[in-house]
Amino acid sequence: MSDAYIYDVVRSPRGKGRKDGALHEVTAVRLSAQMLNALKARNGFEGHAVEDVIWGNVTQVMEQGGCLARTAVLASDLDESIPGLAINRFCASGMEAVNLAANQIRGGAGDAYIAGGVEMMGRVAMGSDGAAIAVDPSVAVDSYFVPQGISADIIATEYGFTRDQADALAVESQKRAAAAWQDTRFTRSIIEVTDQNGLTILDHDEHMRPGTDMQALGSLDPSFKQMGEVMPGFDAVAKLKYPHLDRVNHIHHAGNSSGIVDGAAGVLIGSKAFGETWGLKPRARIRQTCKIGTDPTIMLTGPVPATQKILADSGMEIGDIDLFEVNEAFAAVVLRFMQAFKVGPDRVNVNGGSIAMGHPLGATGAIIIGTLLDELERSDKETGLATLCIASGMGAATIIERV
């Protein structure tokens, strides 16, 4: 098998996912095309040097539908001979695109791919594509479906996390993200988003609130308490699945959950031969990838079994990993990861995460791989693991090592 290497990573700044967000005027196709153009311009490949563009986006309807990946290729400076594949593994779509591309190269199906994803949450609302697991009683009842926010609160209840712990993690995420931007740690990967006249409309992550403190978060009401305790009463569904729970402790709110934002990211992945052909030096090797299914009700614990699986598959132990990127979908997800592996906060999300900077669903998996690689280089460390929880009960992970 051939090794698969990361040659370059780019991402947009993340804009607030609402009508007054800086990126609201930009379509998913336009933002994706800017990422593709940046990778082409920065690395100088031509023609059909790239086998395919694999692009994640979760809400695949309206302007984000119709194989957005291929449309983005046609809207970009890439050669029209390069096809496109749109994929959806919910929040891990961007990571799955990278992992799929890497495994295609390892299996001999092409020398180079561009992989990543996009989500314009302010233009195409999350959930507007529908979901059988949520609305079809024949599936929802048997799977004990509850919304993700309830799942996050179930994790907090099951594993004993308090509101103060969740809020403290959120405050730290904000502090770390602000410090990372001030220290220009994201500069290598950030592509300023421009309008059709070439004028910059966003050059920083817009969602951050660096002044956030415990007092401010303490004033926020739990976001999922009413849907849990009143109609439709999802706490009752949770207790049917987990009868040992006396009650669900609702600790999550807008300040300790991931932000709704717009954004995109792309990763150039290739074989050794690809780099030699185009005079490019690889930055990291994708050592191992994995995906796994988990309990669909508690839903968001996937990073734990995914990490266990990827470590076993690669013959590694948790101590072999220098840095971790664990997507901050909700504070309890990261708290559970650190609890399960006894990993300290000095190795997890050291530049902040989605609570501070936002979670553009289809792009986040590629974003955190890039953030991990940039930080490995900056801190002169060798090996990193990125992982995400996934709706409907799944997990995904990627291990990269510098070369």
Side-chain angles (χ1 to χ4, degrees):
M1 293 176 65
S2 300
D3 283 327
Y5 297 97
I6 297 175
Y7 284 93
D8 199 6
V9 183
V10 297
R11 76 166 176 93
S12 73
R14 286 166 272 196
K16 295 177 182 177
R18 57 196 195 199
K19 290 183 178 180
D20 62 348
L23 297 184
H24 186 68
E25 69 182 74
V26 185
T27 66
V29 167
R30 271 187 58 206
L31 191 61
S32 299
Q34 287 195 30
M35 299 304 106
L36 300 181
N37 290 345
L39 288 171
K40 183 177 186 292
R42 283 161 54 129
N43 296 282
F45 55 82
E46 298 287 347
H48 194 74
V50 171
E51 187 75 15
D52 201 357
V53 170
I54 306 177
W55 214 241
N57 66 294
V58 174
T59 311
Q60 297 188 1
V61 294
M62 298 180 290
E63 63 190 55
Q64 287 189 173
C67 192
L68 187 148
R70 174 58 176 167
T71 309
V73 170
L74 295 176
S76 76
D77 297 332
L78 297 186
D79 194 280
E80 67 178 14
S81 65
I82 299 172
L85 171 65
I87 65 168
N88 180 5
R89 199 186 290 279
F90 295 124
C91 296
S93 296
M95 174 176 284
E96 185 61 27
V98 171
N99 291 352
L100 179 57
N103 290 328
Q104 292 275 76
I105 292 167
R106 293 167 73 185
D111 278 330
Y113 286 74
I114 294 176
V118 67
E119 208 77 36
M120 305 306 288
M121 301 179 74
R123 295 178 62 89
V124 183
M126 178 172 59
S128 57
D129 55 339
I133 195 170
V135 301
D136 183 342
S138 68
V139 181
V141 171
D142 291 343
S143 63
Y144 295 91
F145 169 81
V146 299
Q148 285 190 29
I150 301 293
S151 298
D153 287 339
I154 294 172
I155 294 173
T157 307
E158 179 72 11
Y159 296 101
F161 304 128
T162 67
R163 165 92 178 236
D164 280 351
Q165 286 177 296
D167 285 357
L169 187 144
V171 169
E172 186 64 20
S173 179
Q174 295 284 356
K175 288 181 178 178
R176 291 182 177 193
W181 270 102
Q182 185 174 6
D183 198 32
T184 65
R185 296 183 187 180
F186 301 132
T187 301
R188 180 169 185 175
S189 297
I190 289 290
I191 302 298
E192 295 182 357
V193 181
T194 58
D195 63 16
Q196 294 187 9
N197 297 314
L199 300 176
T200 298
I201 57 177
L202 188 63
D203 61 2
H204 64 281
D205 287 325
E206 188 182 26
H207 183 267
M208 296 187 299
R209 297 179 177 87
T212 300
D213 57 23
M214 292 292 287
Q215 184 176 2
L217 295 186
S219 68
L220 300 177
D221 292 331
S223 295
F224 311 104
K225 182 179 176 69
Q226 185 171 8
M227 72 169 63
E229 295 180 353
V230 191
M231 291 300 293
F234 286 108
D235 285 7
V237 177
K239 285 187 278 188
L240 286 173
K241 181 71 175 285
Y242 314 112
H244 62 282
L245 297 180
D246 294 329
R247 57 185 293 272
V248 176
N249 184 20
H250 293 287
I251 70 166
H252 288 94
H253 51 75
N256 59 26
S257 306
S258 57
I260 294 175
V261 294
D262 303 324
V267 184
L268 177 62
I269 306 162
S271 65
K272 183 179 179 181
F274 171 77
E276 291 172 346
T277 298
W278 297 99
L280 302 174
K281 181 179 179 181
R283 296 173 61 189
R285 180 172 74 99
I286 297 178
R287 175 163 177 165
Q288 194 71 41
T289 72
C290 87
K291 59 272 187 184
I292 196 167
T294 63
D295 180 341
T297 306
I298 202 168
M299 193 185 308
L300 306 175
T301 55
V304 173
T307 297
Q308 292 168 335
K309 183 178 189 301
I310 200 169
L311 291 174
D313 290 348
S314 58
M316 302 177 73
E317 299 179 354
I318 201 73
D320 297 325
I321 307 297
D322 296 314
L323 292 172
F324 299 89
E325 284 289 324
V326 183
N327 185 40
E328 294 175 352
F330 298 89
V333 174
V334 183
L335 291 170
R336 173 55 188 151
F337 181 90
M338 292 192 292
Q339 178 192 67
F341 295 106
K342 298 179 173 60
V343 176
D346 58 319
R347 295 165 63 195
V348 180
N349 300 348
V350 298
N351 292 313
S354 292
I355 290 174
M357 294 176 283
H359 175 22
L361 306 178
T364 302
I367 289 175
I368 66 173
I369 289 173
T371 299
L372 182 61
L373 175 54
D374 285 344
E375 181 59 24
L376 287 172
E377 292 174 338
R378 189 196 71 84
S379 58
D380 196 24
K381 292 182 169 60
E382 298 299 321
T383 305
L385 185 153
T387 183
L388 302 93
C389 60
I390 309 173
S392 301
M394 294 183 282
T398 307
I399 293 176
I400 63 173
E401 58 185 16
R402 289 173 60 202
V403 295

